[in-house]
Amino acid sequence: MAGMGILPRRSYMKATGRRLVRWMVPDGCLEVPREETAGCVFQLRFSGDGTHLASATMDSTVEVWDHAQRRLCHTLDGHSEIVTSLAWVNSAYEPTLFSASLDKTIRLWRNWQGVWVLREHTDWIRCLGISPDDATLLSGCVSSRIFGWDVASGRVKFSLGTDSANLCSVSSLAFMDHNPFVFVSGLRDGAWHLWDARSLGGHICEA
């Protein structure tokens, strides 16, 4: 299994092999919407209203599913390598989604059309995170670099890195609930760092 998404309405989706599987909770009813997903699914993310499910695929596309009808409704094509991470902008007035890829770019999709391509990363991007107020997007890559992006403009707000002698892939990023400034980064070696975007001279905690 490479990815999972939670929907508040008593169900969740997971990617297993070449299938998208839906479990109904708590009765354990299993549904398989599609058998022919193209290779491994790396991440699943529900939109904030639960109407759409986005899946990051091995064939460099983002597939968007209509949750109620359990059918593929959009395929977002633009990346040239595996799509590794997804982040919805839930406060937007129309469907808005970020995708990251091993092609070192982040793409913004609005109403299922490409809008921006963000190119500051010079290495494979592994993860995305978005602040609870949808104002800041985080991205992390395999060479320890973290960028903070202004969601409204696509401009870089800050950049964080690790000494070149201690490079380690950034594998996960997440903001604290209800706090648009404090976030955590998880590394491939098992360490994690806690940051405050208001004072980025160094991390405020680590383990």
Side-chain angles (χ1 to χ4, degrees), residues 33-194:
R34 189 184 182 205
E35 294 283 355
E36 297 303 323
T37 297
C40 179
V41 177
F42 284 85
Q43 192 170 71
L44 296 168
R45 285 288 181 265
F46 277 108
S47 59
D49 60 6
T51 59
H52 292 97
L53 173 73
S55 62
T57 70
M58 191 172 182
D59 69 352
S60 77
T61 65
V62 177
E63 294 180 340
V64 182
W65 300 76
D66 183 305
H67 177 252
Q69 299 185 23
R70 286 171 297 184
R71 65 178 181 83
L72 180 67
C73 55
H74 302 283
T75 299
L76 310 182
D77 191 1
H79 288 292
S80 59
E81 295 286 350
I82 292 168
V83 179
T84 55
S85 192
L86 302 164
W88 289 93
V89 183
N90 291 318
S91 62
Y93 62 90
E94 55 189 346
T96 304
L97 174 71
F98 285 98
S99 61
S101 169
L102 296 187
D103 66 9
K104 309 173 189 176
T105 70
I106 300 166
R107 290 181 176 264
L108 173 67
W109 310 88
R110 184 175 293 132
N111 204 22
W112 322 124
Q113 301 296 317
V115 179
W116 297 332
V117 182
L118 309 179
R119 303 181 184 274
E120 293 294 329
H121 280 285
T122 59
D123 215 332
W124 295 345
I125 305 171
R126 290 292 308 276
C127 55
L128 296 175
I130 196 163
S131 60
D133 62 358
D134 286 340
T136 304
L137 177 76
L138 299 174
S139 59
C141 73
V142 299
S143 54
S144 302
R145 180 68 59 184
I146 298 171
F147 282 100
W149 308 83
D150 180 77
V151 169
S153 67
R155 296 190 178 117
V156 175
K157 298 171 77 170
F158 57 82
S159 175
L160 303 168
T162 303
D163 185 282
S164 60
N166 298 299
L167 293 181
C168 187
S169 176
V170 181
S171 300
S172 57
L173 292 162
F175 275 92
M176 182 181 292
D177 286 347
H178 312 299
N179 190 320
F181 304 107
V182 177
F183 63 93
V184 65
S185 59
L187 305 181
R188 184 180 179 184
D189 64 3
W192 58 266
H193 295 159
L194 185 66

